[in-house]
Amino acid sequence: MTRNQGRHRFSRRTKLTAGVTGLALTIGLAVAISTTGDQGTAQADGADISLFVDITTQQRNVNAPRPRRGASTGTFTVDCGRNENGHFNPDNFIAQPGVRNGAQHLHDYVGNVSTDADSTDESLLAADTTCKNGDKSTYFWPVVRIDREGEDEEPGEPNNAEVECPDVKRKLRDVPQRARGEVDRQLRALKDQVAEANAKLKGAANVDDPNFVNNSVLRPLRDKRTATIERIADVIDRFGQRPRGLRRLAPCTVKDGDANDAQVAEAAKEAEPDAPENGDGKSGSDENELPGNEGEIQRPEVVDITFRGSPVGKVKAMPQFLRVLYGDAKVTTNGTRNARNSWTCTGFEDRVLMNKYPICPDGSKVKRVHDFAGCWDGQNTDSANHRDHMVYANERGECPNGFTAVPQLRISLTYDIPRDVQVAGQYAVDAFPEEEHNPFSDHDDFANVMSREIMDRLVQCVNTGRRCRE
């Protein structure tokens, strides 16, 4: 099977994880490993074929209001990459703070590199970012996957098993200056340990045996990582606040290993109570696989993060730490009030947005367009339902009484999904189990952690009608 560059393959086959006292495995939809958050009910793979629609058969439904005199017509685009560093987790610190696996589906992140269930204003502000201009805001949305049902490894394919471990460095949010030298040395030791484990794995003839993988590769690696991680915590503790939760990053996984189903099931039954928590790692490791959300993650070919103005006047600065939600992840439960039409194809963005998965014509690509609300209540950075403080303008572009226009965020995600996959209905967005991959449940999340200097540049650019890129 050909591996597509820039995509992460999460095999439907054996998933091996060394737990605290045993071996934990995730097998398709049969076993789900989590310690926090409601797992829901696993459902059949993929979205219903009726949810896929030929976009060329759809009528125009996008009608943007015309700018009035004095409108803010500029745009401000931030280059935060395409999640090349593999920051994934099933958390949502805005909607479910402190709850690991609170989303029950995997999120794709750009911007702030530390975002997880435990994120706070302070931790986000102290972290690094993937944005080239230093914007520490966090932008995240559910991943899209291709799941070709029945596709499997071809006979005779070489050993593609590989060790994957949670990234300890990204969990270290504020390393004291005097501790950095030793911490860097220990981080290099962690990399060397993974390389050594991979070499052992690649040279093994019995990589299909889960007992061998656990006893000879994963368990020794976990023990080494535990000791090294403890040294990192100790040195930081000498000069500052001891980091929490590092020990749970010690267990690693093996991706694309094969094993006998009976052996796998028995090992999973034995090890599940001691499995590591989901959502700890920022990479696409198997510990983040959840029931009903499987397949090959599609990294967007293009991630466009652009802030726009108001068609009726100037915009004011967003407050730092403002949280804004787009769409509704539980539209089946909550109804369609907050759901948004998100799906389109390149070349159709200004004409058609759908609540179905598009089948695009040749030469056109699948695209998600997420337009966030742009009217702020002028006081709150969040609200009890995470929505009342930020609302949409009306069809004329006017904010309701008591609300002020702020830069409106649009996140556009373009995917290179083969047309035969589109026609066959073999791609879908990650979702809560009860949504059954409903495309109308598409959503997006944003927390503003821009510095005042960046926000001032943004507002000035938008209000003066310029096209700025940083």
Side-chain angles (χ1 to χ4, degrees), residues 374-389:
C375 299
W376 175 48
D377 70 3
Q379 298 181 11
N380 302 296
T381 57
D382 203 355
S383 48
N385 63 1
H386 311 296
R387 298 185 186 276
D388 289 345
H389 64 298

Side-chain angles (χ1 to χ4, degrees), residues 128-170:
D128 200 356
T129 179
T130 65
C131 301
K132 290 185 177 179
N133 70 344
D135 173 15
K136 294 187 178 184
S137 301
T138 179
Y139 308 87
F140 58 103
W141 52 84
V143 300
V144 167
R145 307 185 195 230
I146 288 177
D147 191 2
R148 298 177 185 265
E149 187 176 359
E151 186 179 81
D152 209 340
E153 307 278 342
E154 294 180 4
E157 196 169 20
N159 173 12
N160 288 321
E162 182 179 5
V163 172
E164 291 187 341
C165 302
D167 193 331
V168 175
K169 183 177 180 180
R170 291 201 187 96

Side-chain angles (χ1 to χ4, degrees), residues 296-367:
E296 185 177 352
I297 292 177
Q298 304 300 293
R299 177 181 293 156
E301 186 178 68
V302 178
V303 174
D304 187 293
I305 298 173
T306 295
F307 293 85
R308 304 181 299 165
S310 165
V312 301
K314 306 304 181 186
V315 299
K316 294 185 177 180
M318 291 178 175
Q320 196 173 50
F321 307 124
L322 177 71
R323 281 124 161 94
V324 194
L325 304 184
Y326 166 86
D328 194 327
K330 293 187 175 181
V331 65
T332 299
T333 302
N334 298 335
T336 61
R337 177 183 177 185
N338 295 311
R340 311 287 296 182
N341 291 350
S342 305
W343 299 89
T344 187
C345 301
T346 55
F348 290 80
E349 303 96 323
D350 297 331
R351 290 181 281 162
V352 179
L353 287 173
M354 305 191 300
N355 57 19
K356 301 289 180 69
Y357 294 114
I359 299 173
C360 303
D362 289 336
S364 178
K365 296 184 177 181
V366 172
K367 190 169 185 177

Side-chain angles (χ1 to χ4, degrees), residues 276-302:
E277 293 183 80
N278 277 350
D280 294 334
K282 299 300 187 298
S283 66
S285 60
D286 291 338
E287 70 182 65
N288 281 325
E289 282 301 271
L290 304 172
N293 293 306
E294 286 195 326
E296 185 177 352
I297 292 177
Q298 304 300 293
R299 177 181 293 156
E301 186 178 68
V302 178

